[in-house]
Amino acid sequence: MSIARGRFITLEGGEGAGKSTQARRIAEALRGQGREVVLTREPGGSPRAEKIREAILSGLIAPLGPTAEAMMFTAARIDHLDHTIRPALARGAWVVCDRFADSTRAYQGALGDLDPRFIRSLERIAIGPNIPDLTIMVDIPADVGMARASQRRDGAPDRFEAEGPAFHEALRRSFLEIAASEPGRCVVVSGAQEPDVVAQAIWSAVEARLLAAGEPAAKVGKPESTAPKRRRAAVSKTGAP
Ligand code: TYD
């Protein structure tokens, strides 16, 4: 008997949008239905990717330039997919991920100087068929998000929080553009509301898009370019596309 594939949900948005709280709430609600849920985040989500996260957010990679930084996020994503996301989906778990590839499109795109085709080809190489089933864009005016982020932070702003208002405005536009260009995958929810109201709006999207009968299961597969032959064979044995 083949195992039903899990579903892959990502949350995206600028600083202070409240994604992490909402990711936890989706995970709790799905667990409440008796499902196995893996709650994870990017950059990070696997031991090696967490090490890359530390390097990026400390600002160690920034002097290498935006190309190298985009490649480091991608390297972390490959490890995260290999060791956390893909195994979870394959065993039927649902994966709820706080940021994923849209953050590379938006953040590294907003830094400027990077050809969007380069960012998209990194994305194709890293994620291949592992496209989220549902992406929740938690949208908030950039100044409101930045004010929230500075209130909750203990120490100095990290690598990206330290960028100026124009950067954060560009990020917001970029996330909204992604949502508009991929309406089948993305739902925009206003993060400038009470957390309970945001959670309800997100849950309605999960119900409508994923829990309604007949929704096809997540694709689980290794992108050709990063797939060692031995493991590709193992994946196809389990019936993955
Ligand atoms: P984090 O503290 O997790 O931020 P947040 O709570 O806002 O999610 O730090 C992750 C930072 O890394 C955040 O500023 C967004 C940035 N980022 C990118 O620039 N590119 C990416 O591909 C990802 C996943 C994150």
Side-chain angles (χ1 to χ4, degrees):
M1 197 180 70
S2 68
I3 299 170
R5 301 277 148 188
R7 304 294 160 88
F8 184 20
I9 302 174
T10 57
L11 288 100
E12 300 276 9
E15 307 292 324
K19 291 173 295 77
S20 309
T21 307
Q22 296 299 333
R24 275 196 301 277
R25 293 189 63 156
I26 302 176
E28 278 162 21
L30 290 167
R31 283 181 188 133
Q33 295 188 323
R35 299 171 196 278
E36 183 194 348
V37 179
V38 173
L39 176 61
T40 185
R41 68 169 180 186
E42 288 208 352
S46 62
R48 268 186 294 261
E50 288 288 331
K51 291 217 156 60
I52 299 176
R53 174 190 175 91
E54 278 168 35
I56 298 171
L57 296 187
S58 70
L60 189 69
I61 308 298
L64 303 181
T67 303
E69 213 167 33
M71 292 169 85
M72 291 299 279
F73 278 111
T74 304
R77 183 160 302 130
I78 288 170
D79 195 68
H80 186 207
L81 277 158
D82 275 353
H83 295 281
T84 304
I85 297 175
R86 203 176 298 107
L89 293 174
R91 68 174 184 267
W94 286 49
V95 174
V96 177
C97 188
D98 184 355
R99 296 195 183 283
F100 192 61
D102 295 323
S103 282
T104 310
R105 289 194 211 170
Y107 277 75
Q108 279 57 61
L111 288 172
D113 298 337
L114 283 188
D115 184 339
R117 286 172 304 180
F118 167 70
I119 297 178
R120 293 307 289 269
S121 48
L122 284 180
E123 181 177 318
R124 271 194 300 277
I125 290 165
I127 78 173
N130 303 113
I131 296 163
D133 296 293
L134 175 63
T135 295
I136 306 289
M137 298 287 184
V138 187
D139 178 55
I140 191 165
D143 55 342
V144 178
M146 288 307 292
R148 277 196 196 166
S150 71
Q151 266 169 15
R152 78 179 175 204
R153 132 181 13 115
D154 289 341
D158 73 23
R159 159 78 182 91
F160 297 100
E161 287 169 347
E163 294 283 338
F167 172 81
H168 293 283
E169 293 291 350
L171 273 184
R172 184 186 188 199
R173 280 196 301 277
S174 176
F175 282 122
L176 291 175
E177 277 165 22
I178 295 169
S181 68
E182 296 184 50
R185 171 172 70 87
C186 303
V187 172
V188 179
V189 170
S190 167
Q193 316 174 80
E194 285 303 310
D196 283 351
V197 178
V198 180
Q200 188 51 55
I202 293 176
W203 187 248
S204 300
V206 172
E207 282 188 320
R209 301 279 182 118
L210 301 182
L211 296 173
E215 174 65 24
K219 287 187 188 152
V220 183
K222 190 85 185 160
E224 286 299 304
S225 45
T226 62
K229 285 207 168 63
R230 179 171 46 80
R231 290 169 54 214
R232 209 158 43 208
V235 167
S236 66
K237 257 194 239 155
T238 65

